[in-house]
Amino acid sequence: MSVVFKAHIVKYLSNFGAMEQRSMFGGTGFFYDGAMFMLLTDKRLYLRGGGTLSERLLDKTCRKFVHVKKSSTAVVNYYEITSLYIQDDPELAQLVKTSIDIAVADKKRKESLESRRLRDLPNLRLTIERMLKKSGVEDVRTFNQLAPEELFRRVQMTHGKDVDVSLLWKFAGAQQGCHWKLIEKEERDRLLAAV
């Protein structure tokens, strides 16, 4: 990733308020109020879609982001806006603002603990919810308060040491709001070392 290009993006995004940056999908994710709305990777810039924003981005011929790993491919709701940024598209600021609003609203909705069950989290299903409840993790609030490795250890204590290790990564992905196969190898290794 070009350091100069990234510096330009960071400067541009400063117009929208304080942002956080984290390593995501082999690039840099940009977050507002803890909600990711933009991704920069390999000199390409992607904006999170949603609702009519996705339609607007597709109308501008923005292609969806495809994350390719060794054994799988994931298509996520992000659209390439590199050319819009480079050409200083007059609608870009409004598109970014709309994306931020959608990302923050989605995060708040997803964090509404009253309306969520464990099986509603990414990567989890009814079987895993039952395993967690049997292990003393009754709700989403408790699930989010514990580290993924602690959740995994609890499940191992009640279901035996032969529990599939992918469950550890599923817990991490559920807490991060992403599919478990998108967890970077370094993060997987760190989690595995912790159990």
Side-chain angles (χ1 to χ4, degrees), residues 45-58:
L45 191 59
Y46 298 89
L47 187 65
R48 178 181 178 157
T52 58
L53 177 60
S54 294
E55 295 168 19
R56 288 172 62 194
L57 293 167
L58 288 171

Side-chain angles (χ1 to χ4, degrees), residues 39 54 56 79 86 91 111 116 119 130 138 148 165 170:
L39 174 68
S54 294
R56 288 172 62 194
Y79 299 82
I86 291 171
E91 293 181 51
E111 288 178 345
R116 299 194 78 202
R119 71 182 108 174
R130 288 178 178 158
E138 293 289 328
V165 73
K170 288 178 181 179

Side-chain angles (χ1 to χ4, degrees), residues 118-126 128 132 143 170-171 174:
L118 288 165
R119 71 182 108 174
D120 296 331
L121 297 174
N123 311 311
L124 306 187
R125 56 183 191 277
L126 181 58
I128 296 172
L132 284 163
F143 179 86
K170 288 178 181 179
F171 293 156

Side-chain angles (χ1 to χ4, degrees), residues 135-163:
S135 303
V137 181
E138 293 289 328
D139 53 35
V140 174
R141 183 184 311 274
T142 305
F143 179 86
N144 285 328
Q145 289 174 343
L146 297 171
E149 53 270 29
E150 175 60 24
L151 293 165
F152 187 74
R153 280 192 290 269
R154 286 182 179 212
V155 170
Q156 278 186 317
M157 288 178 68
T158 56
H159 292 84
K161 293 284 186 185
D162 60 342
V163 174

